[in-house]
Amino acid sequence: MATKNNLRATKKQVQELLTGMTLEEKIAQLQAYWVYDLQSGGVLDPEKVKSKLSLGIGQITRNAGANGLPPVEAARSANILQRFLKEHTRLGIPAIIHEECCAGVMAPGASVFPQMIGLASTFQPELAGQMTAAIAKQMRAIGAQQGLAPVLDVARDPRWGRVEETFGEDPTLVSQFGTAYIQGLQGKDLANGVMATGKHFVAHSLSQGGLNCGPVHLGPHDLWDVYLAPFQAAIRDAGLASMMNAYPELDGEVVAASRRILTTLLRETLGFDGLVVSDYEAVIMIHNYHWAAESKKEAAMKALTAGIDVELPSVTCYGEDLLTAVKSGELSLEIIDQSVSRHLQKKFELGLFDDPFVNEDEVLAVYETAENRALAYQIACKSMVLLKNDGLLPLSKSIRRLAVIGPNADSCRSHLGDYSYTALSELMAVDPPPESVFAAPDKNRLPDIHIPTVLEGIRQAVPAATIRYARGCDILSDDESGFAEAVAAARESDAIILVLGNVSGLAPGCTTGEFRDTTDLRLPGVQEKLALQVLSTGKPAALVLVSGRPVDISALVDKTPAVLLAWVPGEEGGKAAASILFGDVNPGGKLPISIPRSAGQVPVFYNYKPSGMRSNIYGNYVNEPVTPLYPFGHGLSYTSFSYSNLTIDPASVSAGGTVDIRLTVENSGKLSGDEVVQLYIRDEYASLPRPVKELKGFVRVSLQPGEARMLTFHLPVNQLAYYDEDLQLMVEPGKFRVMVGGSSEDIRLQGEFTVTGAAKAAVRDRVFVCPVEVQ
């Protein structure tokens, strides 16, 4: 990362540049344009480029993703834009080109890795870093320097469509995956990496009714203990370069207009010193969505004063309205200069002033590589969670007759998340921007990569088997005309693989993803009815769920011998699912989010308070248990694991110390496999109610049959700190329960230790990682 001397030198360069800028040139640095704002008929228009960029520009939005261009042509487009800015504007200030990159660059031809909720299911944060290092190479190759990811929201409401973009319900897990994601994307320095953008600051995921952008009702203790944690880790431990505001109002205050949240909290309290960009349209939404500003000008002044440095995706409020506000004295020039300086600072750090161009001849060297395919396959395999198995799986490769049934069985579309290029194309087709490629799409201009389906993967895994495929129904339709064919296929087969679920995206036909919230977590359409009819044949069946959100399968689970959750598995998901179904890969993924029995339980999460997750006196609901259908951390294997020899040393320790929690885990089965060993801690009694258990450490270990490894969790006592009644971070003395196991409910070993010392020991910084030693 940049040294202090480099930062001082850069700040001097920024100040020198700022001194020579006109007010109009400064305001241009706070703006952005969609690439199609600069096009006619889907092609860059020199006159529009000259007209809109003559004063310079802060950012270009989705040069590749909104252009429909293959990688080499996208790189060429980026070079054209940067050349104009460098050679035909007075100051020659390059633009930052940003793209979406949740699970891969949201652009044609880019690698598509498993969606974030699946990535989190690996319980291997280092895979996030490997994935984003590959993404960064593809972004840099096409001239992009900023990625609008990762999502650092803690997700506890699966009704919210964007759950799939998150790392789940636990702040420790989200913090570690978020940090690894950022480090992989940004690299050792921004001059060779891509600027990551943490989002959405803060608490976007806890919206009223699970509705996207709805108001958030959240108290200060949950805010600090849970929802701020991943952002704190990203800022301090990963050096996050950019932040994006949350859309909603938080406790009655619109985040995009709140200086208390975006400056006092984010910058002054948490120490963030990077660039704050608006979520798309968030500035104008202060006016036309929240009704908290009477005009665009008032919205612009509120957002800029709050701390939003750049308006994305295209200039709406940060234009003439800001210019008028400064000239009339309503807005100080110092506020403009502050945001311009932050933007210029990042442009220097990204190396744009040295060389904003890319080598068009080298672009394809990082696209569609065997290495990226192998990584996508590895993550997909490790992400899948075996929820249930009564001995059916793995299926024998000598099986003679197999029925593969369901709308997601032969669908590569279901492997793509809401922030895939395909999902963007679908959304743009609903109301295409007039001069964009989406207004008159040329399919030859929209290349895509090959994505094998689950059916293809199965056919490759068992080429000698007779496979009968029946779609049965569509994802969302009420049409049952395909049921008869599906039932006939099931009856004539020795086993059934049902591939059901959701389709992630942004357009109306999708059932999960941004804008696609729900009140019903069951399978959409008539899929549940299809499954029940197929299962009524009595043939052994495995259910494969391809879905971005947890699915309520309570009506099916007792009738289904095996259930595999594939999430949204990316380009190699079909091959990975088949590898697990037929035993080439032993599943080892674990749930990063609880699966409710029904939407009526929501929110349901494992780290609840002592009075939570139960009704007073009787405990359960009248109609069903309060427990989830499958708990956080759950995931089965084709082998078994035993835990033993727990030791805790020392038995008493003070704040600032370390407790060594040692145990042995052994593969007690007949197949090699992975186990995610999870360490949970409970503060038995505290001055404020504490969760019944909290994940503090985890490690995924691979073991051969009969192999045993000794694990030592070096638990920092300061990781037990929480915010007291004065919102001061501190560790209290007392007894702490140690729980180690294979899930939040599958606790195999228990013990305790005592924290001694003063009534409250102040802790300066939060600790997010418990180091684990494997011997």
PDB file of all heavy atoms in Angstrom, residues 472-484:
ATOM      1  N   GLY A 472     -40.724 -30.305 -16.763  1.00  0.00           N
ATOM      2  CA  GLY A 472     -41.797 -30.369 -15.778  1.00  0.00           C
ATOM      3  C   GLY A 472     -42.611 -29.109 -15.657  1.00  0.00           C
ATOM      4  O   GLY A 472     -43.843 -29.151 -15.717  1.00  0.00           O
ATOM      5  N   CYS A 473     -41.950 -27.994 -15.475  1.00  0.00           N
ATOM      6  CA  CYS A 473     -42.618 -26.702 -15.355  1.00  0.00           C
ATOM      7  C   CYS A 473     -41.590 -25.606 -15.501  1.00  0.00           C
ATOM      8  O   CYS A 473     -40.390 -25.867 -15.528  1.00  0.00           O
ATOM      9  CB  CYS A 473     -43.363 -26.579 -14.016  1.00  0.00           C
ATOM     10  SG  CYS A 473     -42.270 -26.571 -12.578  1.00  0.00           S
ATOM     11  N   ASP A 474     -42.070 -24.376 -15.580  1.00  0.00           N
ATOM     12  CA  ASP A 474     -41.173 -23.231 -15.578  1.00  0.00           C
ATOM     13  C   ASP A 474     -40.958 -22.756 -14.140  1.00  0.00           C
ATOM     14  O   ASP A 474     -41.620 -23.216 -13.214  1.00  0.00           O
ATOM     15  CB  ASP A 474     -41.748 -22.102 -16.430  1.00  0.00           C
ATOM     16  CG  ASP A 474     -41.767 -22.450 -17.914  1.00  0.00           C
ATOM     17  OD1 ASP A 474     -40.870 -23.216 -18.341  1.00  0.00           O
ATOM     18  OD2 ASP A 474     -42.668 -21.978 -18.623  1.00  0.00           O
ATOM     19  N   ILE A 475     -40.053 -21.802 -13.973  1.00  0.00           N
ATOM     20  CA  ILE A 475     -39.736 -21.312 -12.634  1.00  0.00           C
ATOM     21  C   ILE A 475     -40.955 -20.677 -11.970  1.00  0.00           C
ATOM     22  O   ILE A 475     -41.303 -20.989 -10.839  1.00  0.00           O
ATOM     23  CB  ILE A 475     -38.589 -20.278 -12.692  1.00  0.00           C
ATOM     24  CG1 ILE A 475     -37.273 -20.953 -13.111  1.00  0.00           C
ATOM     25  CG2 ILE A 475     -38.421 -19.575 -11.341  1.00  0.00           C
ATOM     26  CD1 ILE A 475     -36.656 -21.829 -12.072  1.00  0.00           C
ATOM     27  N   LEU A 476     -41.629 -19.801 -12.689  1.00  0.00           N
ATOM     28  CA  LEU A 476     -42.662 -18.977 -12.068  1.00  0.00           C
ATOM     29  C   LEU A 476     -44.067 -19.245 -12.592  1.00  0.00           C
ATOM     30  O   LEU A 476     -45.046 -18.796 -12.023  1.00  0.00           O
ATOM     31  CB  LEU A 476     -42.304 -17.497 -12.285  1.00  0.00           C
ATOM     32  CG  LEU A 476     -42.938 -16.454 -11.368  1.00  0.00           C
ATOM     33  CD1 LEU A 476     -42.722 -16.808  -9.899  1.00  0.00           C
ATOM     34  CD2 LEU A 476     -42.355 -15.078 -11.656  1.00  0.00           C
ATOM     35  N   SER A 477     -44.188 -20.009 -13.654  1.00  0.00           N
ATOM     36  CA  SER A 477     -45.487 -20.229 -14.283  1.00  0.00           C
ATOM     37  C   SER A 477     -46.380 -21.155 -13.456  1.00  0.00           C
ATOM     38  O   SER A 477     -45.899 -21.973 -12.664  1.00  0.00           O
ATOM     39  CB  SER A 477     -45.281 -20.822 -15.678  1.00  0.00           C
ATOM     40  OG  SER A 477     -46.502 -21.242 -16.236  1.00  0.00           O
ATOM     41  N   ASP A 478     -47.695 -21.053 -13.685  1.00  0.00           N
ATOM     42  CA  ASP A 478     -48.659 -21.970 -13.072  1.00  0.00           C
ATOM     43  C   ASP A 478     -48.995 -23.140 -13.991  1.00  0.00           C
ATOM     44  O   ASP A 478     -49.844 -23.975 -13.659  1.00  0.00           O
ATOM     45  CB  ASP A 478     -49.952 -21.219 -12.725  1.00  0.00           C
ATOM     46  CG  ASP A 478     -49.754 -20.213 -11.608  1.00  0.00           C
ATOM     47  OD1 ASP A 478     -48.858 -20.445 -10.772  1.00  0.00           O
ATOM     48  OD2 ASP A 478     -50.470 -19.204 -11.575  1.00  0.00           O
ATOM     49  N   ASP A 479     -48.345 -23.229 -15.122  1.00  0.00           N
ATOM     50  CA  ASP A 479     -48.626 -24.264 -16.116  1.00  0.00           C
ATOM     51  C   ASP A 479     -48.139 -25.624 -15.616  1.00  0.00           C
ATOM     52  O   ASP A 479     -46.954 -25.818 -15.334  1.00  0.00           O
ATOM     53  CB  ASP A 479     -47.926 -23.895 -17.428  1.00  0.00           C
ATOM     54  CG  ASP A 479     -48.222 -24.878 -18.548  1.00  0.00           C
ATOM     55  OD1 ASP A 479     -49.038 -25.801 -18.339  1.00  0.00           O
ATOM     56  OD2 ASP A 479     -47.621 -24.726 -19.628  1.00  0.00           O
ATOM     57  N   GLU A 480     -49.057 -26.596 -15.538  1.00  0.00           N
ATOM     58  CA  GLU A 480     -48.736 -27.944 -15.069  1.00  0.00           C
ATOM     59  C   GLU A 480     -48.738 -28.964 -16.199  1.00  0.00           C
ATOM     60  O   GLU A 480     -48.698 -30.177 -15.948  1.00  0.00           O
ATOM     61  CB  GLU A 480     -49.735 -28.366 -13.991  1.00  0.00           C
ATOM     62  CG  GLU A 480     -49.754 -27.453 -12.776  1.00  0.00           C
ATOM     63  CD  GLU A 480     -50.805 -27.863 -11.752  1.00  0.00           C
ATOM     64  OE1 GLU A 480     -51.338 -28.993 -11.870  1.00  0.00           O
ATOM     65  OE2 GLU A 480     -51.095 -27.057 -10.843  1.00  0.00           O
ATOM     66  N   SER A 481     -48.745 -28.508 -17.425  1.00  0.00           N
ATOM     67  CA  SER A 481     -48.867 -29.440 -18.545  1.00  0.00           C
ATOM     68  C   SER A 481     -47.661 -30.358 -18.690  1.00  0.00           C
ATOM     69  O   SER A 481     -47.759 -31.412 -19.328  1.00  0.00           O
ATOM     70  CB  SER A 481     -49.075 -28.658 -19.855  1.00  0.00           C
ATOM     71  OG  SER A 481     -47.981 -27.791 -20.107  1.00  0.00           O
ATOM     72  N   GLY A 482     -46.526 -30.000 -18.110  1.00  0.00           N
ATOM     73  CA  GLY A 482     -45.345 -30.851 -18.205  1.00  0.00           C
ATOM     74  C   GLY A 482     -45.230 -31.881 -17.092  1.00  0.00           C
ATOM     75  O   GLY A 482     -44.291 -32.689 -17.079  1.00  0.00           O
ATOM     76  N   PHE A 483     -46.185 -31.887 -16.163  1.00  0.00           N
ATOM     77  CA  PHE A 483     -46.114 -32.814 -15.033  1.00  0.00           C
ATOM     78  C   PHE A 483     -46.140 -34.269 -15.476  1.00  0.00           C
ATOM     79  O   PHE A 483     -45.392 -35.114 -14.967  1.00  0.00           O
ATOM     80  CB  PHE A 483     -47.272 -32.553 -14.069  1.00  0.00           C
ATOM     81  CG  PHE A 483     -47.084 -31.383 -13.156  1.00  0.00           C
ATOM     82  CD1 PHE A 483     -46.189 -30.371 -13.463  1.00  0.00           C
ATOM     83  CD2 PHE A 483     -47.809 -31.279 -11.973  1.00  0.00           C
ATOM     84  CE1 PHE A 483     -46.024 -29.276 -12.626  1.00  0.00           C
ATOM     85  CE2 PHE A 483     -47.656 -30.197 -11.123  1.00  0.00           C
ATOM     86  CZ  PHE A 483     -46.764 -29.196 -11.444  1.00  0.00           C
ATOM     87  N   ALA A 484     -47.014 -34.599 -16.421  1.00  0.00           N
ATOM     88  CA  ALA A 484     -47.202 -36.000 -16.837  1.00  0.00           C
ATOM     89  C   ALA A 484     -45.904 -36.559 -17.394  1.00  0.00           C
ATOM     90  O   ALA A 484     -45.511 -37.700 -17.084  1.00  0.00           O
ATOM     91  CB  ALA A 484     -48.319 -36.086 -17.876  1.00  0.00           C
TER      92      ALA A 484
END
